[in-house]
Amino acid sequence: MKLIIAIVQDQDAHSLIEDLTEEEFRVTKLASTGGFLKGGNTTLLIGIEDEKVDDVVEIIERNCKTREITTSLLTVSMPGDTYIPYPLEVKVGGATLFILDVEKHIRI
Ligand code: 2BA
Ligand code: 2BA
């Protein structure tokens, strides 16, 4: 068995979960925060049989889009700890996936 940890953008999470459950995959959704943009994103835990990994990755590819985001990060630029915001273009990926081997899966 494998566990896919998928970090996706909030905008894509709803349709992705719909498609996964429609195809009988089980999903747990966690609200998460990106360390760089400090904005909300969604982390999905998807436990699946080894041979289903490609199917799940295909569903994720179909639902998750790369987007250019302009954000204003705060930076120290002046003496005396004055913070000024500056615009920054960041390309946020469709999804970041970690695929792990599951040693044991138990349902009680
Ligand atoms: P359980 O299988 O006992 O799952 C309870 C909760 O545990 C799930 O909540 C989900 O958050 C998590 N979970 C279970 N298996 C998982 C896995 N392989 N990967 C990631 N997370 C997992 P819900 O998704 O709200 O599901 C509640 C109950 O509805 C489930 O109880 C199951 O009996 C049924 N169910 C869930 N997804 C289904 C699906 N695609 N098709 C048919 N029945 C489903
Ligand atoms: P954030 O940390 O908010 O990052 C959003 C986007 O900002 C990233 O998109 C990347 O394009 C850029 N970025 C992140 N850290 C950077 C840095 N140190 N320097 C320059 N640019 C940086 P993605 O790479 O597509 O990542 C989207 C979200 O996925 C991330 O949100 C983070 O929550 C998660 N993530 C990505 N890679 C990760 C990893 N290796 N471990 C854990 N979480 C990861």
Side-chain angles (χ1 to χ4, degrees), residues 35-38 70-76 84-88 90:
F36 190 69
L37 295 178
K38 298 181 175 54
T70 305
T71 183
S72 54
L73 294 179
L74 293 175
T75 182
V76 184
I84 58 156
Y86 69 97
L88 180 75
V90 177

Side-chain angles (χ1 to χ4, degrees), residues 16 18 35 44 47-48 52 56-57 62-63 72-73 76 81 87-88 91 95 98-99 105:
L16 174 57
E18 291 277 299
L44 300 180
I48 40 162
K52 299 283 187 186
V56 170
V57 171
R62 200 197 309 150
N63 280 279
S72 54
L73 294 179
V76 184
D81 275 357
L88 180 75
K91 192 175 266 187
F98 299 93
I99 304 176
H105 169 227

Side-chain angles (χ1 to χ4, degrees), residues 3 5 8 14 19 27 30-31 43-44 46 63 65 77 79 83 86-89 91 101-102:
L3 176 68
I5 301 174
V8 304
H14 182 75
D19 280 8
V27 190
L30 310 174
T43 299
L44 300 180
I46 310 157
N63 280 279
K65 291 160 194 65
S77 67
Y83 287 82
Y86 69 97
L88 180 75
E89 287 262 310
K91 192 175 266 187
D101 284 322
V102 174

Side-chain angles (χ1 to χ4, degrees), residues 1 20-21 24-28 45-48 105 107:
M1 193 175 191
L20 287 168
T21 43
E24 309 223 334
F25 294 112
R26 289 174 189 208
V27 190
T28 297
L45 306 179
I46 310 157
I48 40 162
H105 169 227
R107 290 184 74 215

